[in-house]
Amino acid sequence: GAGAGAGGVGAAPVAAGPPEPPLSSPNVFTYVNLIAACGRSREWRKAWEVFEALERAPDAEPNQVAYNALIGACARSGAWEASLAAYRAMLRAGVQASGPAYASLLSACARAGEWARAQALFKGMARQRVRPNAIVCTALIGAYSRAGKLDRALDVLRAMRAGKVTPTRVTYNSLIAACVRNKEVDRALIVFDIMAAARVDPDVITFSSLMSGYAKRGDWRKALQIFSHMKATSHEPNVVSYTALMSAYASSKLWRRAEAVAKDMVDEGIKHTVVSYTTLTGAYAWAGEWQKALACLERMPEEGLQPDAFTYNRVIRAVRGAGEQDRALELFARMTEAGVAPDANTYDALAGDELGEEGLGMLGESASDADAEQDQDEDRGPAGAASVDLSLIDAEPGDIEEDEGAFSIVVAGVGGDDGLDPDLVLDDLSSEADSRLRSDGEGQWDGGERFRL
């Protein structure tokens, strides 16, 4: 009947579904994850925008984790000024800075060559009652070593050992790399000895750094001994290790040995990189084997590798040195067509009287075009930059000082095993370099099982 129809008097009531839950507002950890994602993408401006959105959010507010994420995102992006601005804002907001924040800040300053700011931040940790741990101390070592202040970097290691902060493999590797970078390979070997005495196992990075040091010195025999020792102690070489050994041979113009190393590397299933190919190309070029260098350059695109300026420069120099001026200019043209910007070494390799005025004129035009393109690239920046007050990065009076004396960290008291005492002070000391590598009292290093060459 009529009551049977839909919506009629006799119709059964339609069951209502469960009510939809209200949309929840993002909490602070949602913002933190977004900031961290921006950091991984090297988008520090977007990280600031997310952070500012968090500051405006009605149901969330920045905490220590959020500030740490912002500082880390800026640091990973290479924006050390912005990371310092975030740190200042953190302190103004009354949020306690922590170890991860200082580690990020010191690492950012290290990459920017701002060792004095890194030092000032380290001093600030004592005022904030934050105990430096191995990660923070390693970051300070990186700041000193990148600035060529090797003595200060070594002092940090001594203070860590005296202050019961256990140096990690990364700490030792950072110091060994610093010694190599400053052409102090003998000191690098001393650090290696201390590492062995502390029973910290080296890894492939440790051995590769030592090999690179001897390669720069032109001592291929010691580089080969380290390589052999690495394999004998069950440390599998990687492409960096093979490249370091090739470099050692290349510096002595032993191109056949370098070629054999490259073949062994490929036979082990390790693929070439641009750096390894460039090293092999240099071995050929320095020995005058320009045709092999050229063939090496031409193999790279076949393996999906784009030669860089270093690669082209070495081949161009070898070709030009063999009197193949036309071929050198062809390589230069190929280089610019591939979008590889020439540098001063490129023009130095090409600029000879035999090129003539016409050839040099062609180079000048190409250089202007490359400079113009580079300027355009530098002018482009991420859209929607956040309003970061970079005036906040100004150091406090007395925080940054340049002094001429030897530098050390002095531990005024030792509190525990998890970090240096917060009352540590930075003071000028004068001592022999060897004493900086030894701790006093019990556990004094006596040479241990030294790796002999």
Side-chain angles (χ1 to χ4, degrees):
V9 175
V14 178
E20 295 185 2
L23 294 176
S24 59
S25 301
N27 59 26
V28 66
F29 294 105
T30 305
Y31 290 100
V32 167
N33 288 331
L34 285 172
I35 292 170
C38 293
R40 288 191 292 271
S41 302
R42 307 296 193 268
E43 295 283 353
W44 68 270
R45 290 182 173 85
K46 290 183 178 179
W48 265 100
E49 291 175 352
V50 175
F51 185 83
E52 290 174 342
L54 169 60
E55 290 181 310
R56 297 189 298 268
D59 300 325
E61 63 180 14
N63 59 10
Q64 186 185 75
V65 177
Y67 278 105
N68 286 350
L70 178 60
I71 292 170
C74 295
R76 292 186 68 173
S77 305
W80 67 273
E81 300 99 331
S83 64
L84 281 173
Y87 168 71
R88 302 282 188 187
M90 183 181 193
L91 297 185
R92 283 203 322 275
V95 178
Q96 174 69 45
S98 62
Y102 283 107
S104 296
L105 285 165
L106 266 66
S107 296
C109 290
R111 286 192 292 270
E114 293 286 336
W115 70 268
R117 290 186 184 274
Q119 175 181 301
L121 287 163
F122 192 80
K123 292 169 70 174
M125 293 183 71
R127 292 192 293 270
Q128 295 295 320
R129 311 296 292 178
V130 179
R131 301 170 68 85
N133 58 17
I135 298 174
V136 174
C137 291
T138 301
L140 182 61
I141 287 172
Y144 285 144
S145 63
R146 285 173 180 265
K149 298 185 177 296
L150 186 57
D151 286 343
R152 298 190 179 198
L154 294 172
D155 281 337
V156 177
L157 175 64
R158 185 188 65 79
M160 289 176 71
R161 289 159 58 83
K164 296 185 180 180
V165 178
T166 304
T168 65
R169 181 188 293 120
V170 176
T171 308
Y172 287 111
N173 284 348
S174 179
L175 268 172
I176 290 172
C179 293
V180 169
R181 190 181 301 117
N182 288 278
K183 300 180 180 179
E184 294 276 2
V185 67
D186 293 331
R187 272 178 153 183
L189 195 58
I190 293 175
V191 175
F192 181 86
D193 292 339
I194 300 175
M195 183 180 186
R199 302 188 185 281
V200 177
D201 291 332
D203 60 7
V204 66
I205 297 174
T206 316
F207 290 112
S208 298
S209 294
L210 286 171
M211 291 169 61
S212 297
Y214 285 110
K216 291 178 181 178
R217 183 184 280 187
D219 195 339
W220 63 267
R221 289 180 176 85
K222 287 186 178 178
L224 177 59
Q225 286 177 332
I226 295 171
F227 185 83
S228 301
H229 180 79
M230 174 173 56
K231 296 183 72 173
T233 53
S234 301
H235 292 89
E236 289 299 324
N238 61 9
V239 65
V240 178
S241 314
Y242 281 105
T243 301
L245 186 55
M246 279 191 281
S247 178
Y249 287 136
S251 63
S252 299
K253 298 185 179 180
L254 298 175
W255 65 268
R256 288 185 177 85
R257 287 178 178 263
E259 187 179 64
V261 172
K263 183 178 182 303
D264 290 343
M265 182 182 78
V266 174
D267 290 344
E268 290 293 330
I270 299 174
K271 294 183 179 180
H272 270 291
T273 64
V274 173
V275 176
S276 66
Y277 255 131
T278 300
T279 302
L280 180 58
T281 302
Y284 292 136
W286 293 330
E289 296 289 334
W290 68 270
Q291 291 171 317
K292 288 183 175 292
L294 183 59
C296 194
L297 174 73
E298 292 174 347
R299 280 202 307 271
M300 293 178 67
E302 298 173 3
E303 299 184 19
L305 299 173
Q306 173 63 45
D308 59 14
F310 292 102
T311 321
Y312 277 107
N313 291 349
R314 292 178 179 184
V315 180
I316 289 172
R317 188 175 295 277
V319 169
R320 202 282 307 269
E324 297 285 337
Q325 292 86 5
D326 291 341
R327 210 180 284 267
L329 287 172
E330 289 174 7
L331 284 169
F332 178 82
R334 187 195 307 181
M335 176 183 183
T336 54
E337 288 171 3
V340 180
D343 58 20
N345 290 323
T346 313
Y347 299 111
D348 181 58
L350 282 166
D353 293 338
E354 65 273 10
L355 289 174
E357 294 181 0
E358 182 179 355
L360 290 175
M362 291 168 56
L363 300 183
E365 293 174 2
S366 300
S368 299
D369 294 340
D371 290 341
E373 292 177 3
Q374 184 176 359
D375 291 340
Q376 291 175 1
D377 290 338
E378 290 175 354
D379 289 339
R380 299 190 193 106
S387 56
V388 181
D389 183 6
L390 295 183
S391 65
L392 297 174
I393 67 175
D394 292 337
E396 297 176 6
D399 268 359
I400 299 178
E401 300 173 351
E402 175 68 58
D403 54 84
E404 299 299 330
F407 190 82
S408 180
I409 297 175
V410 182
V411 181
V414 176
D417 294 336
D418 58 343
L420 295 178
D421 188 272
D423 290 331
L424 65 88
V425 295
L426 298 170
D427 194 15
D428 288 330
L429 288 179
S430 223
S431 60
E432 294 298 324
D434 285 349
S435 68
R436 293 191 177 95
L437 298 176
R438 302 167 188 257
S439 62
D440 297 329
E442 295 182 0
Q444 182 173 2
W445 176 67
D446 60 0
E449 293 295 328
R450 177 158 187 167
F451 171 51
R452 300 283 182 182
L453 291 178

